[in-house]
Amino acid sequence: MPNTTWKSLERRVAEVLGGKRNPLSGGQGKHTRGDIIHPDLYVEVKLRKHWAVYDLFMDTRTKAAKEGKTPLAVIHEGSRKHTLAVVDLEWLVKLLKAEKS
């Protein structure tokens, strides 16, 4: 994938979240090592041709739509401590805005 593709994705995510793309993410970042400069969130943006969790979410989304509900895919791996919630980025933004209100 051309590097402009992932840079474009980082810019779009930064805009949606109200942040700014970090041109020097990783070890070179002055503000944060994350991909997005944001006052409250540490954001890593990853682009791949395929993610298995994306398929899981899309299936959950289809089923949720049939019931008029918001899709939420929850994943947990073996004995790991953390359980992850996978949601649509637009829904997360709405949730964060509602929280600030």
Side-chain angles (χ1 to χ4, degrees), residues 25-82:
S25 61
Q28 305 299 317
K30 294 179 182 178
H31 304 285
T32 179
R33 289 181 173 219
D35 295 326
I36 307 297
I37 299 168
H38 190 280
D40 302 313
L41 301 173
Y42 183 94
V43 182
E44 285 287 338
V45 179
K46 300 298 179 202
L47 176 64
R48 286 182 61 176
K49 288 185 178 185
H50 184 262
W51 296 94
V53 71
Y54 195 88
D55 292 340
L56 168 67
F57 180 78
M58 295 310 288
D59 182 55
T60 303
R61 182 175 172 248
T62 299
K63 292 174 182 175
K66 289 178 183 176
E67 296 187 21
K69 296 180 179 179
T70 301
L72 171 65
V74 177
I75 57 175
H76 188 85
E77 187 176 285
S79 61
R80 292 197 184 238
K81 180 180 177 180
H82 299 282

Side-chain angles (χ1 to χ4, degrees), residues 66-98:
K66 289 178 183 176
E67 296 187 21
K69 296 180 179 179
T70 301
L72 171 65
V74 177
I75 57 175
H76 188 85
E77 187 176 285
S79 61
R80 292 197 184 238
K81 180 180 177 180
H82 299 282
T83 300
L84 307 179
V86 181
V87 299
D88 185 274
L89 181 60
E90 301 295 331
W91 184 79
L92 176 64
V93 168
K94 288 178 188 175
L95 184 65
L96 292 171
K97 286 180 180 177

Side-chain angles (χ1 to χ4, degrees), residues 1-17 19-23 35-36 45-47 89:
M1 282 174 241
N3 71 7
T4 55
T5 303
W6 59 264
K7 286 180 185 179
S8 176
L9 176 61
E10 288 180 356
R11 285 186 192 95
R12 184 176 69 80
V13 170
E15 182 179 337
V16 167
L17 292 175
K20 183 178 177 185
R21 180 180 173 268
N22 184 4
D35 295 326
I36 307 297
V45 179
K46 300 298 179 202
L47 176 64
L89 181 60

